[in-house]
Amino acid sequence: SRTREMLHRLLLVLCALCGCSALVPGVRAPTAPHASAACRSVSPVMGNNAPDGPFTPIVLAAKVVLGEKLLNKIRGKAISYHAQYITEFCEDYGVAREVRGALVKKAKVTGGRLGFLS
C-alpha cells in the first residue's frame, strides 16, 4: 500500500541520515544517560509538549514534506507495527502480560526522548 511504501522510504531516509553522522569525523551519536528510578516513572509526552531529541529535525522536516496529517498516519502505523512486534516477541518467549505492557510504554517514552513524537 502507499502508506507502507511511504513508511519504508521514511525509514530509509532516517537510516541514511543516522549512518551519515557516524561517518563524519568528530561527530558522535548522543548517548542516553542512565535512567534513575525517578526517570523511569516519567509518562510519555506527545505533540507540541514532546521534548526535542536527535530525530526532531527529521520529524519536523517530514511534517513539512509529507504534511502533518500524512505524517501522523505513517507514525501511527509505525507505532502499531512496533507494538505488534513487541507482542509477537512476548508471545514467542512467554513474557508476562505486565512486562509486555511495560515494554510498550518504555518504547513510547524512548521514542518521545528521541524526538519521534515531536
Side-chain angles (χ1 to χ4, degrees), residues 47-99:
N48 294 333
N49 298 327
D52 287 343
F55 293 101
T56 298
I58 298 168
V59 172
L60 295 177
K63 191 180 288 188
V64 170
V65 172
L66 302 173
E68 191 168 354
K69 186 176 179 180
L70 180 57
L71 175 65
N72 286 338
K73 185 176 179 180
I74 292 170
R75 183 174 15 211
K77 281 282 194 190
I79 291 169
S80 173
Y81 287 140
H82 193 234
Q84 179 182 348
Y85 294 139
I86 291 171
T87 300
E88 289 175 9
F89 174 85
C90 290
E91 288 174 354
D92 289 346
Y93 292 97
V95 177
R97 215 169 241 245
E98 296 81 21
V99 175

Side-chain angles (χ1 to χ4, degrees), residues 1-10 65-66 70 73-74 77 81:
S1 73
R2 183 168 185 218
T3 303
R4 190 175 191 129
E5 183 180 326
M6 291 294 287
L7 176 61
H8 186 255
R9 287 182 183 177
L10 184 59
V65 172
L66 302 173
L70 180 57
K73 185 176 179 180
I74 292 170
K77 281 282 194 190
Y81 287 140

